[in-house]
Amino acid sequence: MAGIPRSHTIKRRPNRTSAYVPPSENPTLPVADVLACARIAVLYMLFSFYGATTAEYDLPDEAEADLQRHWSERQTSIRRLIESLADLEDALATETARPGGLS
């Protein structure tokens, strides 16, 4: 979500979740698994520490700057996911409740 204009967040584009939940792809997928996706994404981003510190990698300046930018954008993404978590979960619940949605 980093680098994406605020106007394109889940609150304004909830129908985009249908691209992630196509019933034809996995019709036996439990709804609970779909609804857990948003929280799993937040937890993964919060607890995955790859590249969190750059000192031990002895990276060239350009690579270190890129990794620091990655972490800055990751923090923005985490904040936006947490801020819109309820909307995202509502969108996923709505998508799974539609006719033809997951059962």
Side-chain angles (χ1 to χ4, degrees):
M1 293 181 72
I4 298 173
R6 193 85 169 133
S7 63
H8 292 277
T9 58
I10 194 65
K11 208 174 209 176
R12 302 205 186 234
R13 298 288 197 152
N15 61 336
R16 299 284 184 196
T17 57
S18 63
Y20 297 101
V21 193
S24 60
E25 293 293 321
N26 193 348
T28 61
L29 183 66
V31 171
D33 289 1
V34 174
L35 299 180
C37 288
R39 290 177 185 257
I40 291 168
V42 171
L43 289 171
Y44 171 78
M45 293 181 82
L46 285 170
F47 293 103
S48 173
F49 295 110
Y50 166 76
T53 61
T54 58
E56 72 263 12
Y57 298 131
D58 195 29
L59 297 172
D61 291 344
E62 185 177 314
E64 185 166 338
D66 186 56
L67 195 52
Q68 289 175 351
R69 186 179 73 250
H70 163 79
W71 275 93
S72 175
E73 291 174 353
R74 186 181 181 118
Q75 295 305 309
T76 300
S77 296
I78 290 168
R79 187 184 74 249
R80 288 183 181 176
L81 275 170
I82 289 172
E83 287 173 354
S84 61
L85 189 59
D87 294 323
L88 181 54
E89 289 177 332
D90 288 346
L92 289 168
T94 299
E95 189 59 39
T96 57
R98 285 187 183 170
L102 301 175
S103 54

